[in-house]
Amino acid sequence: HVMRVSRRLGLAKGKGPLEVEKELGLLLPPEAWGETHHRLIAHGRRFCRARKPLCERCPLSIHCSFVS
């Protein structure tokens, strides 16, 4: 979830989990990583699903590269 959501929202461009984690680490202070990680997972489960994402209901869709 973290990689998919981060890439769709333009927070990271990495092709793998480690690359995305490094990019997010540059954006976030260490103390914010845990909560952000859990929020990205929750968002991925609720709206930004791999198959059939719920873009029309997503509050972040205006920032998303997946929405066409």
Side-chain angles (χ1 to χ4, degrees):
H1 298 296
V2 173
M3 187 169 87
R4 179 178 59 252
V5 174
S6 297
R7 291 185 65 193
R8 287 181 179 175
L9 293 176
L11 300 174
K13 295 181 181 181
K15 302 242 186 254
L18 292 177
E19 291 176 38
V20 170
E21 185 177 340
K22 284 181 183 179
E23 290 179 68
L24 291 175
L26 296 173
L27 294 174
L28 301 166
E31 61 273 9
W33 174 241
E35 184 176 344
T36 302
H37 177 80
H38 290 292
R39 287 178 185 240
L40 290 170
I41 290 171
H43 185 77
R45 289 179 178 164
R46 186 166 186 189
F47 299 106
C48 196
R49 300 173 181 166
R51 295 182 209 170
K52 297 185 182 180
L54 303 174
C55 300
E56 68 281 351
R57 295 169 53 191
C58 176
L60 301 176
S61 64
I62 61 170
H63 304 289
C64 184
S65 64
F66 188 77
V67 178
S68 48

